[in-house]
Amino acid sequence: MQTYEELTMDINTLEGGKDKLPYLEDNMEVTVQSLEPEPGPLSWRLPARHTYKVKSLVDRIAKDRGTTYVTGTLENGMQVQIPNFIKPGENVVVDLTRLTYIGRA
């Protein structure tokens, strides 16, 4: 069942743990597991993937041949390894299960 009601959820019920909480954004659709009518919401999880804007990159001193991954900081402050051809301001898709880069948005 899909609803758009607002719920208050305990951080400890986030699947994957508190480490994934910084990836939560306003208006992000999450999945809530619940029992009706009682006890209500049991747990919740972030989507499998989500799009974020790259805020900044760590500059590389030496260039290698081929695709090189660099540390990119997303607008939410979290860091993920992204290819060096991605520039600040671009949108990237992040796998929220493994917290890894998937591709450009």
Side-chain angles (χ1 to χ4, degrees):
M1 178 172 83
Q2 186 174 11
T3 68
Y4 292 95
E5 60 187 292
E6 290 186 20
L7 301 171
T8 301
M9 300 296 297
D10 188 330
I11 294 171
N12 295 318
T13 60
L14 173 59
E15 290 182 17
K18 294 178 186 178
D19 293 343
K20 293 196 177 180
L21 189 60
Y23 290 91
L24 180 65
E25 291 191 332
D26 289 340
N27 299 317
M28 178 186 275
E29 290 188 20
V30 299
T31 302
V32 177
Q33 182 182 14
S34 67
L35 292 175
E36 296 293 335
E38 294 294 328
L42 300 174
S43 67
W44 57 290
R45 69 175 171 266
L46 300 177
R49 53 180 63 174
H50 189 69
T51 302
Y52 296 94
K53 184 174 280 194
V54 176
K55 182 178 178 182
S56 64
L57 301 173
V58 173
D59 291 330
R60 290 187 40 81
I61 295 172
K63 297 281 185 183
D64 295 327
R65 289 189 173 165
T67 302
T68 303
Y69 285 80
V70 296
T71 301
T73 302
L74 307 175
E75 283 197 332
N76 62 6
M78 299 308 295
Q79 294 184 331
V80 67
Q81 295 296 310
I82 58 175
N84 62 351
F85 57 79
I86 300 291
K87 305 293 181 222
E90 289 190 60
N91 291 326
V92 295
V93 179
V94 175
D95 179 327
L96 295 178
T97 305
R98 297 179 297 155
L99 304 178
T100 57
Y101 167 87
I102 294 177
R104 282 183 166 149

